[in-house]
Amino acid sequence: MTKYAVNRRSFLGASTALVGLAMMPSAARAEGEVIKIGTLTPLTGAGGPYGPIMTQTAQAVVDEVNAAGGVLGKQIELISEDDQTNPEAGVRAARKLIDVDQVSAILGTWASSVTTAVAPLCWESGTFLATVSGADAITELPHNGYLVRTQPNTTLQGRKFGEFALEKGAKRVFFVSPQTPFAESQYTNMAKAVEAGGGEAASLVYDDKKPSYRSEVDEIMRFNPDAVVLGGYAPDTTVMLKELYRAGFEGTKIAFAYAVNQQVLDGVQKEVVEGCYTIAPSSNENSTAYKRLVDMIGVESPDPYTVQVYDQINLIIMAMAAAGESTGTAIKDSVRAVSQGEGGTKVDNAIDGLKLIAEGKAVDYDGASGPCDFTDTGDISDSSFRYEQVLDGKFSFINIA
Amino acid sequence: MLAYFIFALTIGGVYALLALSLNLIWGGVGLVNLGLVGFFAIGAYTSAILTGAGTPILVGWGAAIVVGAVAGFIVTLATTRLRDDYLAIVTLGLAEVIRLVALNERWLTNGSDGISGIQAPLKSVLGNQGFNLFYMVMVCFIVLIVWALLRRIDRSPYGRAMKAIREDQELAAFAGKNVLSFKVQAFALSAAIAGLAGALYAHFQSYVSPDHFQPLITIYIFLAVAAGGVGRPAGGVLGAYLVVFFLELTRFVPDLLPDFAPAQFAAVREIMIGTALLLVLRFKPRGLLPERIIPAPKI
Amino acid sequence: MTILLQALLNGIMNGTLIAVPAIGFTAIFAVLRFPNFAIAAYATIGAFAAWWVNVHLGAGVLPALIVAFAVAGFAGMAAEETALKGLRGSGALTVAIGSIALNVVLENIVRLYFGNDLRGYDLPIVPDWRFLGLRVGPQQLQSLMIAIAIMAAMFAFLRFTRFGKAMRAVADNADLARLKGIDPAKVAILTVFLGAGLAGTGGVLIGLDASIDPMLGYRVLLTVFAAAVLGGLGSIPGAVAGALVIGIAEECALLVIPATYRSAVGFIAILLVLTLRPRGIFGERAA
């Protein structure tokens, strides 16, 4: 019994210390008047290849804005949490951002499951959420305007993939993808486009954890495709591309720009990705925002998620300035005023935007991932895509259409 | 801040149920279920699917318990001939198969999109704050009931028989105990509790998806049971709350380590979690609340 | 028929990738009697070590494999001594759970230093050879040969060297081995070196096909376990046979079930085989 009592006492002591420690940082932070924004990106787990650079990009924009005097006369503090590519962990992280840090906006959620899990916490607490997730169902959630996504919805992307394959002279198109929330709608829409052009389409959904896909590729080859559309992410697409090369596939390869990105180009043999086309949402050819971003983070071809996070943080900062207030509700109410402000001056970054807003002028942000105009449900309404091709081990720009 | 504590207590309660579930078979009959998260998933999906089809929430929860128990029953029967270490690996594979089914059987589980908009009981009446408080109290209350039940079992002749099996299965069989029957019952009850935890989690979060049920949670629960004390229900509960507080506390360490980039810090945080489990196993192998073996009453 | 033959060939190639780490896993099990989850991290560490010498020093496949073996082996030894050894007194289950924690720690140490970026070896890739409507990859053949060489070396090592005999003696009966003057502690640590080293070598073979990132080992962990369990935990020929059975079963199953259920095939194979033979194909005598 004595032993038990000692244990209980030491437990009580320990837990008091824990609670104290948990309170301390937020109390310390409350002293300076700052505006808090959170990033919730995958820093570990399956999304790990994408999250770190997203967080870094958001921080770079925040640093730049802070150096130029911040927003609403205050400095911005960016708080970064790891969603571990897992909605259970993601919700815990989001609760901390919302309840303890009291951020007014969260940006960068990547996995569709994490976004769907976190979204209710955001709309219930009046926190603004900007995401790069692809599942169509996300914008159909009852979010009351608290959610926008910069990733085009997959119905559109599927069609673009199909049309692009036809354009490259392909008649038989094979779609290969791991099980993602958008694999099915992407394939259906791609097949529709291909069949409308007199072609034929087939698909295969594979297990994304395997180190080789020989029989999968045999199945692809039996279809005798002119073009293969790769719907996966970087790690599994790497395996698939190597396997296609070994099997002697010489047709057209088309992938998402986030699956065949700079990391993959650096990591695989040149001939494996040579000629592969990539598609990413993008604004016009002379997108100044895109060039600014490339200079800012020093990455030659930033992948679409990085590009979108850049737009999200710029939009959120300008929306606060336009509203004259930094709450999530204020961002929700004024984000469209800065993203698609009628007759507004075109801007490509928050610093210029903040100056114009301070002068009482309207702005219309044209970002690196597109014009960033949102529908009422939070989807982007524009549809231009940036097409690139891997030539001689480098991305070479084809066009934006 | 208060909302955060209420949330942490609710999640702690769900973890506590999982810890009680694991403790029952690990501390009870000495089996290890590395597929705990699979039974958690079964409970969550059962209730989400049923209430989505219109059954009342309490029926959904009841079904989660029953389906969990049935799944546990089937698994033990299919694996009775396996040695413990084989069982550990088989259960790990089982959880992965359950996740694959949830991922691919769109007609039943809505596939990788998951099921969103799961009914939250009384939320429309109580509002957000009220609901969170109510749910926390309710989860804690359920933890208390399950804990009391397991403690009763733990101290009964039945519980002593289980521990006899854990210590020496052959001897227990020799003493006339039906070892298989004990194992099956313990495993089924344990799976039922994990199923209930899953249902409570699903209706709290209003959303379940295959991504929720990665082996990560199983690791946390092992940390909880190991830290709290294997073989003693109170230990599991204490350990679960400690784990949730520890997981949440590690978020505040970057304030002390400002030189790390967020991505590096995320790695440091996981290193801390792994190291904590190793340290507990090494220096507190019997946990904070060590098992008490109560002598059998003298006749 | 060609399709089935091709699937069979694919299965053998796929199986050899898994066989090498499975041998490492099962060797550790044979001597220390616990399933070591950290094998995933050892495979990742080996793959990264080989990547480093390949990209920074221009090492070819063979030297890279040797470096991977050594680095993963030493990492395994160090981790065993600091983290797991102290847990042995609390039973095999405790050590197994400790190894799960150790795996989390090691994976994240790799992540801390290398980040999550995907990497690849700077080695040539060649298209497959074709004959009779079938295709085989020269590189997979190379992996197959390496795997066979490793298995043969392991076999000779266990059979003919003093240490190999000691290892088998400890695996059979530690107490008896001690009576014969064998130091089980020394055998244990060298076995961990060997097992972790083999996992590291396997990691390199996997990294040749897949991308190298901190989750490399974790992704194949279940399949490695399945191979070792199927063959009978602790049996080295068993691990090889198990890996081949799982490799072939996975590829052939694709002809009848959706490819996305591929991971489930290994699991179902284990259940089927274990129901008939509770200790696997090459299962040891009853304990």
Side-chain angles (χ1 to χ4, degrees), chain A residues 42-52 178-179 204-219 221-222 233-236 238-243 245-249 259 261 263-264 266-272, chain C residues 3 6-7 9-11 13-14 17-18 107-108 111 116-130 135-137 139-140 206-211 213 215 218-220 223 250-252 254-255 258-264:
Chain A
L43 303 177
T44 57
Y50 300 111
Q179 191 68 274
L204 172 96
V205 176
Y206 59 84
D207 184 337
D208 61 0
K209 289 205 180 80
K210 292 291 161 182
S212 79
Y213 294 121
R214 295 183 67 84
S215 292
E216 284 87 344
V217 166
D218 286 336
E219 192 175 329
M221 297 301 275
R222 277 200 291 280
Y233 295 105
D236 48 291
T238 305
V239 184
M240 193 51 88
L241 282 170
K242 285 186 185 172
E243 217 72 86
Y245 175 79
R246 290 202 193 99
F249 176 73
N261 57 10
Q263 281 182 34
V264 171
D266 294 342
V268 303
Q269 296 85 352
K270 226 163 134 186
E271 54 269 42
V272 168
Chain C
I3 293 180
Q6 181 66 56
L9 267 178
N10 292 347
M13 313 236 170
N14 177 12
L17 275 187
I18 298 303
E107 181 190 309
N108 283 287
R111 181 172 281 126
N116 287 318
D117 289 0
L118 307 178
R119 291 150 208 273
Y121 297 113
D122 195 4
L123 292 168
I125 183 167
V126 263
D128 286 353
W129 292 330
R130 296 180 171 279
R135 66 182 182 101
V136 292
Q139 188 205 315
Q140 272 88 355
I206 292 164
L208 288 172
D209 278 355
S211 59
D213 65 87
M215 294 181 69
Y218 172 78
R219 280 195 281 266
V220 296
T223 322
E250 275 190 358
E251 303 283 344
C252 290
L254 290 191
L255 301 173
T260 163
Y261 274 112
R262 196 162 147 171
S263 291

